[in-house]
């Protein structure tokens, strides 16, 4: 449990730094407004979700949600809360769904490849 908590904190820190870096590199205030978001930045986030989900195993689904929703505090920090915040939340849910599925699948693969004693029973 300590490993999972520490890893979730590490994933959160990575995701916040990653999305802020995307904004800094592209000059966008919101990560999803960045140039090449769907072809470059989002696929990297999906890959990070899969790797993190593999390490979290049964809690793998949470990695994808955390990594994608880390865009929200970055957006709030860079541009503040505006009238389109609700639209942004719906957009994040749409982006998080594939990431959660991918990270959950990676976690399930991890439990099949090398189950722990707790997961085997």
């Amino acid at each position: 449990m300590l490993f999972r908590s520490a890893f979730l904190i590490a994933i959160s820190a990575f995701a916040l730094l990653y999305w802020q870096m995307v904004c800094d590199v592209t000059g966008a205030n919101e990560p999803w407004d960045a140039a090449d978001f769907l072809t470059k930045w989002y696929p990297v986030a999906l890959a990070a979700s899969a790797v993190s989900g593999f390490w979290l195993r049964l809690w793998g689904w949470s990695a994808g949600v955390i990594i994608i929703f880390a865009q929200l505090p970055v957006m709030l920090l860079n541009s503040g809360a505006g009238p389109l915040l609700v639209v942004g939340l719906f957009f994040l849910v749409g982006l998080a769904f594939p990431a959660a599925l991918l990270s959950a699948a990676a976690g399930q693969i991890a439990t099949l490849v090398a189950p722990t004693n707790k997961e085997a029973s």
Side-chain angles (χ1 to χ4, degrees):
M1 179 149 140
L2 181 61
F3 169 77
R4 182 174 57 227
S5 298
F7 199 64
L8 288 172
I9 291 169
I11 291 169
S12 300
F14 161 79
L16 289 168
L17 291 172
Y18 174 71
W19 291 120
Q20 185 59 51
M21 184 267 317
V22 168
C23 289
D24 291 343
V25 167
T26 62
N29 284 336
E30 300 170 354
W32 56 74
D33 286 340
D36 299 326
F37 177 79
L38 289 176
T39 58
K40 187 179 192 180
W41 306 112
Y42 183 60
V44 170
L46 291 176
S49 297
V51 170
S52 299
F54 187 86
W55 285 102
L56 284 171
R57 296 175 175 262
L58 295 177
W59 283 81
W61 62 270
S62 63
V65 173
I66 290 169
I67 289 173
I68 298 304
F69 268 86
Q71 293 179 74
L72 181 62
V74 170
M75 186 261 318
L76 291 173
L77 178 70
N78 292 337
S79 60
L84 294 176
L85 181 61
V86 174
V87 175
L89 289 172
F90 282 110
F91 189 63
L92 284 175
V93 168
L95 291 173
F97 188 71
L101 287 176
L102 189 61
S103 58
Q108 287 298 317
I109 289 169
T111 60
L112 294 174
V113 171
T116 63
N117 289 337
K118 194 171 16 172
E119 293 164 348
S121 58

